[in-house]
Structures are given as C-alpha cells and as structure tokens.
Amino acid sequence: MLGTGRMPMDELAARVGANVRFLRAGSGLSLGQLAARSGVAKSTLSQIEAGTTNPTLATLEALAGALSVDVRELLASIVADAVVTVRRGSGADVSGESSVGELMQSAMVGPSVVEFHRLRLEAGTHEASPSHGAGAREHVLVESGSLEAGPVDARVVLGAGDYASYPGDRLHRFEAVGEEAASYWIVATYPRRLGE
C-alpha cells in the first residue's frame, strides 16, 4: 500500500535477512552455531538470511537474544555496506562543563576484535589495504590534513575533524590529498577467528 508508511513484506524479509547475516558474521558464528544458540532450525536460518521467509516475533526474539542485540536492530535499516560520513561539527554535542566534544558515531562491537591505529600519511602518497574478511568494518577520524579513504569504489575526502565508516571486507585505499601530511586514527573491527 502506498502512503501508509508500511514496508512491503518482501523488503522487510530481505532487510531482516541481511541484518541477521551481517550480525552473525560479525559475531564469528556459523549457521549451525547460531541455530544451536537460538533454538532456530538451521534450515529456517538459511531461509531467513536469504530473505525468503518472514520470521515470527518469537523467532526474531530468539535470534536477537542469541546475537546479543535488540529485536529493533534486526529490523533497522541495513548499514553493513554503507559508507557513513560525519563532518566536523555535525556530530551530537557531548560537551561537559569543562570540555567541548561531539559524538561522531556509536556502534555495537559484540564479540569482535577491535584494533586502534594512529597513522600519518605523507602528502601525495597513498596506501591500499586488502579485505579484512566478512563482517569487518573500519572507522576513520582525521586529526589533520586531508585524507581520501574508503573502499576503492566509494572513497570520500575527509578534512580535520571529519569521520567516516565503511566496510572493511573489500579492498580499500587511503591517500593524503593536498599539500600537507594527513594524520588520522583508524578503529577496525572484525569477527574473532578461531584460535584468537
């Protein structure tokens, strides 16, 4: 129905499936492991992730519990493949009595590995980074200079104080643009692999 604000069921099923798949991969779980944790049959999980079935509320609650998220996160807009950019000054104000600050982004990390990197790239130089595997994501915050960053097909130019987040499961590239070096932080998250 048009004009009702309701999403067609096939679109909602596709969204839920993509979110379950993204969260499962981010948690480092196989279909079988998620089935065991949630009590939802592996064949049903496969159909949910493919977007070919509409799970019941009880199934959504079981999956949300097994993935340590709220049911709303299974229904939320898909962000796994999105490049998110927050420009300096446009984050949420988190200033205190003696400090000035802004929240650039918040994210659920779950049972992922988190790495913090502080980097400097000389003016006019660039580096490429390979995929970090399914479920990986990188968060970049530029301290100074100007940096072009992101997946090779979706890079954004960031200035001092700008933030971007993008999938780290494909080739991505960094380039210091302009006449000065770019100093920046990267926080990378990726599913914990067996043995880690």
Side-chain angles (χ1 to χ4, degrees), residues 110-123:
S112 297
V113 174
V114 181
E115 296 179 345
F116 298 85
H117 304 262
R118 186 172 187 201
L119 303 155
R120 178 182 167 92
L121 195 58
E122 295 303 321

Side-chain angles (χ1 to χ4, degrees), residues 131-161:
S131 167
H132 301 302
R137 193 155 187 93
E138 288 192 349
H139 306 267
V140 178
L141 180 63
V142 176
E143 281 187 302
S144 63
S146 185
L147 180 74
E148 186 177 77
V152 293
D153 59 345
R155 289 180 307 208
V156 293
V157 176
L158 306 169

Side-chain angles (χ1 to χ4, degrees), residues 46-187:
S46 182
Q47 291 174 338
I48 290 170
E49 288 194 1
T52 58
T53 188
N54 293 313
T56 65
L57 182 55
T59 299
L60 289 175
E61 288 175 340
L63 290 173
L67 293 165
S68 301
V69 299
D70 189 277
V71 170
R72 290 174 293 188
E73 291 186 58
L74 299 181
L75 303 171
S77 295
I78 301 167
V79 296
D81 289 330
V83 174
V84 178
T85 305
V86 181
R87 299 294 176 191
R88 180 181 184 169
S90 63
D93 185 11
V94 293
S95 300
E97 288 183 25
S98 302
S99 64
V100 176
E102 59 184 310
L103 173 65
M104 302 303 278
Q105 175 82 336
S106 62
M108 184 191 75
V109 176
S112 297
V113 174
V114 181
E115 296 179 345
F116 298 85
H117 304 262
R118 186 172 187 201
L119 303 155
R120 178 182 167 92
L121 195 58
E122 295 303 321
T125 63
H126 62 85
E127 288 188 356
S129 181
S131 167
H132 301 302
R137 193 155 187 93
E138 288 192 349
H139 306 267
V140 178
L141 180 63
V142 176
E143 281 187 302
S144 63
S146 185
L147 180 74
E148 186 177 77
V152 293
D153 59 345
R155 289 180 307 208
V156 293
V157 176
L158 306 169
D162 289 346
Y163 161 88
S165 171
Y166 51 83
D169 62 353
R170 61 200 73 166
L171 180 67
H172 43 286
R173 189 171 186 269
F174 307 94
E175 182 174 353
V177 294
E179 297 183 11
E180 64 177 288
S183 293
Y184 55 103
W185 286 85
I186 294 177
V187 177

